[in-house]
Amino acid sequence: MTDKQMQKLASMLAEDLTKRIYGIANPASENNDMTWYADRDDDHCMGELARLMTLLNLYQDREEYEKCHLINKHIKKLEKIVENL
């Protein structure tokens, strides 16, 4: 394999990996959803906490207090996990 062929292969691999990591969909495909992943566990936990707090506010506004109680339990568990990270 020549140097030029190896560079072309490396370039193609890097492009494919970038697309997979950042969830960039193929423009020709019908599925244009983008998926993002947190680099670290604590980033994922913080994102989950934000999601749960948003749901908590939504349920409080709707006065669905049973759901608020369940969401609050999950928030407390995640806060303990984040403290230990």
Side-chain angles (χ1 to χ4, degrees):
M1 183 177 272
T2 66
D3 285 341
K4 189 174 182 177
Q5 289 173 324
M6 286 193 316
Q7 289 212 349
K8 184 177 178 181
L9 178 62
S11 177
M12 289 171 34
L13 285 171
E15 184 179 340
D16 187 50
L17 286 172
T18 302
K19 286 179 182 178
R20 287 180 187 210
I21 290 170
Y22 293 108
I24 300 170
N26 184 356
S29 72
E30 294 179 20
N31 184 8
N32 287 328
D33 294 335
M34 293 184 71
T35 304
W36 299 91
Y37 297 98
D39 294 338
R40 302 180 341 194
D41 287 340
D42 57 339
D43 291 341
H44 179 73
C45 286
M46 292 302 291
E48 184 66 10
L49 268 174
R51 184 183 77 82
L52 289 173
M53 288 180 178
T54 302
L55 284 174
L56 182 66
N57 288 333
L58 180 74
Y59 293 145
Q60 285 174 342
D61 289 345
R62 292 182 186 170
E63 298 180 359
E64 297 179 22
Y65 299 115
E66 295 85 11
K67 291 180 182 178
C68 289
H69 178 71
L70 295 173
I71 294 291
N72 228 354
K73 288 168 88 175
H74 287 291
I75 288 173
K76 290 186 188 311
K77 287 179 188 177
L78 269 176
E79 285 175 340
K80 287 181 184 177
I81 291 171
V82 169
E83 286 175 7
N84 293 329
L85 288 178

